[in-house]
Amino acid sequence: MARFEPLTPETAAGASRELLGDLVERHGTVGDMVATMAHSPSVLGGYLGLSKAMRRAKLDRTTSELISIAVQEQQGCGLCLASHIEAARLLGVADYEIELAQLGTATRPEVAAIITLGLQIYREPASISDEQVDELRRYGYSDRAIADVVGVVSLNILTGAFNLVAGLTPVQEG
């Protein structure tokens, strides 16, 4: 059960009112997470900024979604996990690849290596080695793509932690 009520442009105050009003004007509606983030204009603004920045990431969207699935499986945010699984399916990712990402791996070694990096960034960034980064480069990942994994993981930590604190869960169909 949600711990915070979602806000609207009418019920939000200050900077959150402006941010939500702009989003609703441009998109017509916002999801529960964004509406609930409006309790903190700092969190909402940070989320919107990082989310926008990550749309310009060099890392391809499919790989980003697989990393997100691996991270959310660890973090335990069912809402985020469901969202990233749906996004991966829309990109044409096979169910077995989604299941492997949930286990922290992939069939292709280069994808498994970048998922491993994402999970290490999430769990233990000090454990990342020069050899590991060199291996990613040999697989063809640019320094920018490797750095973008930090952004993907950071965005997932923010959204997952927020949803867990706020008590936001996937809508049960039935």
Side-chain angles (χ1 to χ4, degrees):
M1 176 169 200
R3 296 183 181 108
F4 307 144
E5 287 296 316
L7 299 177
T8 66
E10 296 74 38
T11 59
S16 288
R17 178 185 297 252
E18 292 174 30
L19 288 168
L20 275 179
D22 181 55
L23 288 168
V24 169
E25 186 176 302
R26 286 188 289 135
H27 302 288
T29 185
V30 296
D32 284 344
M33 181 187 75
V34 170
T36 305
M37 277 183 175
H39 285 280
S40 169
S42 299
V43 171
L44 179 57
Y47 163 74
L48 293 173
L50 183 55
S51 183
K52 182 178 180 181
M54 292 313 299
R55 285 193 293 271
R56 296 184 303 272
K58 189 70 172 166
L59 198 60
D60 71 88
R61 178 101 189 278
T62 298
T63 302
S64 293
E65 292 300 340
L66 293 172
I67 293 166
S68 296
I69 289 167
V71 169
Q72 291 304 339
E73 182 70 28
Q74 293 296 304
Q75 186 161 277
C77 177
L79 185 61
C80 292
L81 182 60
S83 173
H84 289 293
I85 288 173
E86 179 181 338
R89 285 183 176 140
L90 289 173
L91 291 168
V93 177
D95 284 343
Y96 71 91
E97 288 291 350
I98 291 169
E99 291 169 11
L100 285 173
Q102 287 179 272
L103 296 171
T105 192
T107 55
R108 295 180 14 232
E110 69 275 12
V111 177
I114 203 88
I115 289 172
T116 296
L117 176 71
L119 287 171
Q120 280 182 267
I121 292 166
Y122 173 70
R123 290 188 204 130
E124 199 176 3
S127 71
I128 296 164
S129 68
D130 293 342
E131 294 78 22
Q132 185 177 5
V133 172
D134 288 342
E135 177 187 37
L136 291 166
R137 288 180 182 133
R138 283 192 300 277
Y139 280 129
Y141 292 105
S142 67
D143 289 355
R144 179 178 173 183
I146 294 167
D148 282 343
V149 177
V150 176
V152 170
V153 173
S154 297
L155 188 56
N156 274 280
I157 291 169
L158 173 62
T159 58
F162 181 83
N163 288 336
L164 291 166
V165 170
L168 300 178
T169 59
V171 175
Q172 300 299 318
E173 295 182 22

